[in-house]
Amino acid sequence: MDVEQLEAEAKATAAKHVINMLQRPGQLEKVEQYKRRVSRKKASVEAMLKSAMQSQLDGVRVGLNQLQIALHEIGEIKQNLKWIEESFAAVPGLYAKLQDVRDENMRHSQYVTAMENLKHIFTVPESVEKTKQWISEGKLLHTHQSLTDLENSRDDLLYELHKLPNQAPADKVMLKAYFEDVEVLSQLLEKQLRLVLSRTLNTVRKEPTVIVTALRIIEREEKADGFALQRQKQSGFLPPGRPKKWREKAMEVLEKAVAQRIEGTQVDERNDNKMWLVRYLELTRQLILEDLRVVKTLCVPCFPPHYDIVNKFVHMYHTALSHHLQEVIQNGLEGNEYVSILSWIMNTYTGPELMQHPELNIDTSSIGPLLNNAVIDSLQQQYLKNMETNYMEWMQKTLETEKLDWGNGTAPEGDDQGFFHTSAPVIIFQMIDQNLQVTRTISQDLTFKALLLSMDQVTQYGKMYRDAIIEFKIRHFEDRSKVPYFTHYMITIVNNCLQFVELAQLMKQHYWRPGLHDNEAGTKFEALLNAFQQLRDEAAQFLLEEAFLDLEPQFQDLITSKWVMSSIPVDTICVTLEDYFQDYIHLRVRNFDYVISEAQNWVAKRYISALLQKKITFKTYEERRDAAVKIMAEAEQVKEFFVRLAPKVAKFDSPFEIINTLAEVLKSEDPEILSLDLHGLVDKYPDVTQDHLVHLLSLRGDISRSEAREKVAYILQTNKTRKRPTIPKSIFSLIS
């Protein structure tokens, strides 16, 4: 650094500082004070600099001392490494000189091993026989101790042979042959332990010490396996028969015993007992519940904690039961067996009757489902398929019974209110209700699927029912003498259709769950209701068709020259309909009201059709006026007739008011009044057509056809330009 430059910068900074301090005359008095302050600050800074410099010098001194020591130690290390290098040169010679010592040590080690095992070597046959006797007497601990001593002697001798640089295979073969009975003893003990463990759940109730002894032996053998494997990693030597893996084999024995217990609960076959599956599932539930109680209370104290024996047994029973149930399913199920197995798997097994029993309270989420989803879905689909087949058979039989009733020549009987109906709707919906109640015991999802299937099948029955009704109607009208009670059975059919609708709505109330059903379900339900609602309407039309077939001559006589002088046609129509309506009282109230409504529409339609057919020509205004008065009177007569039969229906929006309006047009004399009447008619009944009005005006006899068309066209055109609220269609839309 440039000292002179730094000094110049310091002087410049000091000058600026003095200028700033002495800007006012009064500050000159404080010059001495400023000088003392600066002197103190300077002394402080100089002390700090001296302290820092001293600290740096001390650090440098220490560093130099450490470097000196390091240099000295490096020299010593260099001398030592040189000595070690010189010593290594003498190692090969020393190794050769110690060869005799090594050979003597090997012999000494073999002699020591032989001396230690001398007793066992000379007593092998005797020890083997004694151990076999202990096995037969059930003295498992004595057996295992003797076996362990024999195996240790054999393994130690084999290990010494293994360590020899030049092994003699004949020596190893001789040793193994001499100790071959030891391997037999091991197998006998293993067999005995398998037998004990296979009876664990029974033995632990009476003699838990036997189970404890077997487990102690297994754990000792597991430790011996671990030691043998560790020594194999170090020396490459593995004793014969190791590792025994008795703990793993013990688990296999327990699994096999559990599987046998599960299979043993199936005591019946389908041919012996129709309830074989229900009995098997109940026996299995009782067995598993009791066995797991024993495991939880008695086995836990006997088994080491790391066995986690409760969860192990739960998993064993779960797996064995799953396999056996799959075998049962593969062998084939029938009828209600699907319900039994689905309900047991989805509810009983996981519920408080078994796994969630207060004494067990086992969490099944860790072991997974008893059967996988694919198997459950397959069972449910097959169950639904069987349900569909049953539905089809039952509904076909029900329909055949209905058809037989139609042609048996006897009248149907009414209920306590006098309404005709058959038991078909109730039978069908009782069967549906039974099926849905059963599926409720399985799952909500299956109930929903069964509900959809049921609605489909009832809708399909409606189509079959309609085909049978149409066939019945055609056969009757071909020869009306063959079916004497056609009207009665058509009444029964109309009532049945309404009952189907009501029972379907009741089914919806019981089994419909808001928010759980999608658009498909809503569509199917609406299709069911529409099918039977439309069939009710169609059957009601067939019912009226018979009555109006008898009245065809009377309708043909309306608005004719014969009609002008007689009231017989309308009187006959009223009398005949009243006679038929005596049978219609067997219709349920809603159906009766509908039939009455349709009947008056039919009468009004036929009357208006006769009016527009121009079967008569009026030559004078008086003839036209008298005819109009007669038409009004007959319209009122027929209206009163229907009001008397069904006042609630006939008084509301009566179609006979249209006939009065037409009669007013016919009676009108003044052309301006006629135009007003026509405007009023078009305004009140927008669905009246040009042909209707032209035929009506032509009936008057005082207006030519061309004039009538011109007048009607003008009125209709004028009416189109007017804004008016939407008016429902009238009976004119039914008249062509």
Side-chain angles (χ1 to χ4, degrees):
M1 296 177 65
D2 190 349
V3 178
E4 292 181 357
Q5 183 181 353
L6 291 174
E7 186 177 356
E9 289 178 358
K11 287 179 179 181
T13 303
K16 289 180 182 179
H17 186 60
V18 170
I19 291 170
N20 289 332
M21 286 193 301
L22 303 176
Q23 288 181 353
R24 293 188 298 276
Q27 291 177 326
L28 290 173
E29 297 175 358
K30 298 181 180 180
V31 169
E32 290 299 326
Q33 183 180 349
Y34 292 151
K35 286 173 71 176
R36 287 194 299 272
R37 184 189 303 170
V38 171
S39 297
R40 286 196 302 271
K41 188 173 182 181
K42 180 182 177 183
S44 175
V45 172
E46 287 177 349
M48 289 173 61
L49 285 172
K50 288 178 181 179
S51 176
M53 288 299 294
Q54 186 64 40
S55 177
Q56 291 292 327
L57 289 173
D58 291 342
V60 170
R61 187 181 297 110
V62 171
L64 289 173
N65 289 334
Q66 289 178 344
L67 287 173
Q68 185 67 33
I69 293 170
L71 181 61
H72 177 70
E73 290 179 349
I74 288 171
E76 289 181 354
I77 292 170
K78 185 176 180 181
Q79 291 296 327
N80 290 335
L81 288 173
K82 185 177 180 181
W83 177 80
I84 291 171
E85 187 177 353
E86 292 173 352
S87 298
F88 274 142
V91 168
L94 182 62
Y95 178 80
K97 291 178 182 179
L98 293 175
Q99 180 63 42
D100 293 339
V101 176
R102 287 199 303 277
D103 293 342
E104 189 63 30
N105 180 64
M106 179 68 71
R107 283 192 296 272
H108 180 73
S109 175
Q110 292 174 353
Y111 291 153
V112 169
T113 302
M115 290 295 291
E116 288 176 352
N117 294 285
L118 195 59
K119 181 182 68 173
H120 298 298
I121 292 172
F122 286 115
T123 60
V124 166
E126 181 184 347
S127 297
V128 168
E129 290 303 321
K130 187 181 291 184
T131 304
K132 287 182 179 179
Q133 183 179 353
W134 283 335
I135 290 175
S136 62
E137 292 175 359
K139 297 178 180 179
L140 300 182
L141 284 177
H142 289 80
T143 300
H144 185 250
Q145 184 60 52
S146 178
L147 176 64
T148 301
D149 292 341
L150 290 169
E151 285 181 339
N152 288 340
S153 298
R154 178 197 62 186
D155 296 345
D156 289 345
L157 292 170
L158 287 172
Y159 181 58
E160 291 300 327
L161 283 176
H162 176 77
K163 290 191 295 182
L164 290 175
N166 298 316
Q167 299 181 24
D171 293 343
K172 185 181 290 188
V173 171
M174 181 186 67
L175 265 177
K176 286 185 177 180
Y178 188 74
F179 283 97
E180 64 181 353
D181 286 342
V182 175
E183 187 65 27
V184 174
L185 287 178
S186 178
Q187 293 172 0
L188 289 174
L189 180 58
E190 179 184 338
K191 185 178 179 181
Q192 189 66 24
L193 292 175
R194 284 177 175 272
L195 181 62
V196 169
L197 291 174
S198 66
R199 301 171 179 172
T200 297
L201 295 177
N202 293 327
T203 306
V204 78
R205 291 180 172 95
K206 303 172 184 176
E207 297 180 274
T209 54
V210 176
I211 301 298
V212 173
T213 299
L215 293 171
R216 286 174 62 188
I217 294 171
I218 290 170
E219 287 305 297
R220 289 174 183 175
E221 287 297 326
E222 282 296 305
K223 290 179 181 178
D225 283 347
F227 174 76
L229 292 173
Q230 184 65 31
R231 186 165 63 175
Q232 183 190 26
K233 291 179 182 179
Q234 296 171 354
S235 64
F237 172 75
L238 185 66
R242 294 288 179 188
K244 293 183 179 180
K245 299 182 179 180
W246 279 7
R247 186 191 296 165
E248 182 180 325
K249 292 177 180 178
M251 290 297 105
E252 292 174 358
V253 170
L254 292 176
E255 287 177 4
K256 187 176 179 181
V258 167
Q260 289 174 348
R261 290 177 73 83
I262 292 293
E263 292 174 3
T265 55
Q266 186 174 341
V267 295
D268 293 325
E269 296 292 339
R270 184 181 292 110
N271 296 334
D272 304 325
N273 184 356
K274 291 183 179 179
M275 301 298 290
W276 69 277
L277 183 59
V278 174
R279 186 180 180 192
Y280 161 67
L281 293 174
E282 178 57 20
L283 290 175
T284 301
R285 184 193 70 81
Q286 294 176 4
L287 172 77
I288 295 175
L289 180 60
E290 182 59 29
D291 285 357
L292 291 182
R293 278 175 179 164
V294 171
V295 171
K296 202 165 186 180
T297 55
L298 300 179
C299 288
V300 170
C302 297
F303 282 77
H306 63 268
Y307 272 63
D308 192 17
I309 196 60
V310 174
N311 289 329
K312 281 285 195 308
F313 262 106
V314 169
H315 183 76
M316 290 176 192
Y317 275 100
H318 183 81
T319 305
L321 181 58
S322 177
H323 290 162
H324 194 251
L325 287 178
Q326 289 182 40
E327 290 178 6
V328 170
I329 293 167
Q330 288 172 2
N331 292 334
L333 299 175
E334 297 178 0
N336 288 331
E337 291 172 2
Y338 287 96
V339 178
S340 300
I341 200 165
L342 281 170
S343 179
W344 196 90
I345 291 169
M346 301 179 72
N347 298 315
T348 304
Y349 180 72
T350 57
E353 295 180 71
L354 189 48
M355 289 302 183
Q356 293 299 313
H357 191 278
E359 294 184 30
L360 300 181
N361 198 22
I362 294 169
D363 182 13
T364 56
S365 61
S366 60
I367 57 176
L370 194 57
L371 297 177
N372 61 47
N373 291 335
V375 176
I376 295 294
D377 290 343
S378 175
L379 287 173
Q380 291 185 354
Q381 290 302 321
Q382 188 59 46
Y383 173 64
L384 292 174
K385 186 177 180 181
N386 292 345
M387 185 188 296
E388 182 180 7
T389 303
N390 292 337
Y391 276 150
M392 293 172 66
E393 292 177 357
W394 270 89
M395 291 180 181
Q396 187 62 44
K397 289 179 182 178
T398 302
L399 185 58
E400 292 299 328
T401 304
E402 290 278 290
K403 292 165 72 174
L404 288 174
D405 289 343
W406 296 344
N408 64 7
T410 58
E413 296 181 1
D415 58 16
D416 53 358
Q417 294 178 299
F419 302 141
F420 289 162
H421 58 78
T422 64
S423 58
V426 174
I427 290 174
I428 289 173
F429 276 94
Q430 276 182 347
M431 182 171 64
I432 291 173
D433 184 65
Q434 289 171 1
N435 282 319
L436 294 180
Q437 285 184 12
V438 169
T439 57
R440 261 185 174 177
T441 65
I442 300 173
S443 71
Q444 185 64 41
D445 179 61
L446 184 60
T447 303
F448 173 58
K449 292 178 182 177
L451 181 62
L452 291 182
L453 173 63
S454 302
M455 290 190 289
D456 280 340
Q457 290 302 308
V458 176
T459 304
Q460 187 62 34
Y461 177 81
K463 295 176 182 177
M464 292 167 29
Y465 200 32
R466 179 179 181 274
D467 293 340
I469 293 167
I470 293 174
E471 181 186 349
F472 178 50
K473 170 236 180 182
I474 292 172
R475 190 172 74 250
H476 170 69
F477 285 123
E478 286 175 353
D479 184 357
R480 296 175 66 184
S481 63
K482 286 185 177 180
V483 186
Y485 295 104
F486 175 79
T487 300
H488 298 74
Y489 280 108
M490 286 309 300
I491 290 171
T492 300
I493 290 168
V494 172
N495 285 341
N496 280 356
C497 290
L498 181 60
Q499 193 171 11
F500 270 109
V501 172
E502 292 174 346
L503 289 173
Q505 291 171 336
L506 192 62
M507 178 183 71
K508 181 179 180 181
Q509 291 178 10
H510 285 170
Y511 296 102
W512 202 269
R513 293 292 178 271
L516 296 179
H517 300 89
D518 54 16
N519 293 332
E520 180 188 5
T523 302
K524 288 181 181 291
F525 184 74
E526 289 301 321
L528 188 158
L529 295 183
N530 291 337
F532 283 96
Q533 190 66 49
Q534 292 171 7
L535 185 56
R536 190 283 302 259
D537 297 348
E538 197 171 358
Q541 299 294 325
F542 296 161
L543 186 63
L544 291 173
E545 195 173 330
E546 183 184 34
F548 280 80
L549 191 63
D550 292 340
L551 294 173
E552 187 61 30
Q554 281 69 37
F555 284 116
Q556 292 295 333
D557 288 342
L558 289 176
I559 320 301
T560 61
S561 54
K562 178 181 177 181
W563 163 82
V564 172
M565 303 302 296
S566 171
S567 63
I568 291 176
V570 172
D571 291 341
T572 305
I573 289 170
C574 291
V575 170
T576 304
L577 287 177
E578 186 167 9
D579 182 51
Y580 272 100
F581 289 170
Q582 292 302 314
D583 292 331
Y584 294 171
I585 62 172
H586 297 294
L587 287 165
R588 297 179 65 181
V589 176
R590 280 175 58 186
N591 291 332
F592 182 79
D593 291 347
Y594 175 77
V595 169
I596 293 296
S597 176
E598 287 297 300
Q600 65 177 0
N601 286 339
W602 276 42
V603 172
K605 173 187 169 184
R606 295 300 302 272
Y607 200 102
I608 294 171
S609 296
L611 187 63
L612 300 180
Q613 286 176 5
K614 198 181 177 183
K615 298 177 183 178
I616 187 174
T617 303
F618 299 114
K619 297 178 180 179
T620 64
Y621 167 72
E622 286 75 14
E623 290 180 359
R624 192 170 71 248
R625 181 195 61 199
D626 293 343
V629 171
K630 182 176 176 62
I631 290 170
M632 289 179 169
E634 289 183 344
E636 185 64 26
Q637 178 184 352
V638 178
K639 180 181 177 182
E640 289 299 324
F641 165 71
F642 280 104
V643 167
R644 179 166 53 84
L645 291 174
K648 292 182 180 179
V649 178
K651 285 183 178 180
F652 177 74
D653 195 21
S654 173
F656 300 109
E657 296 296 333
I658 299 177
I659 298 176
N660 287 332
T661 305
L662 297 178
E664 289 292 345
V665 173
L666 193 64
K667 187 174 69 171
S668 180
E669 183 178 12
D670 190 331
E672 292 184 0
I673 298 297
L674 176 61
S675 295
L676 288 174
D677 288 340
L678 288 173
H679 275 293
L681 177 64
V682 173
D683 190 55
K684 190 173 182 180
Y685 305 107
D687 54 341
V688 66
T689 66
Q690 184 175 359
D691 286 343
H692 292 151
L693 297 176
V694 169
H695 280 80
L696 179 62
L697 293 178
S698 299
L699 182 63
R700 288 172 56 89
D702 61 343
I703 300 176
S704 66
R705 195 169 188 83
S706 60
E707 290 176 342
R709 287 188 178 279
E710 184 178 345
K711 183 183 286 292
V712 169
Y714 172 75
I715 291 171
L716 291 176
Q717 184 62 34
T718 305
N719 191 262
K720 283 181 181 179
T721 61
R722 296 173 58 191
K723 292 183 179 180
R724 57 188 176 181
T726 303
I727 300 175
K729 290 184 178 182
S730 69
I731 203 167
F732 281 114
S733 60
L734 304 176
I735 300 172
S736 59

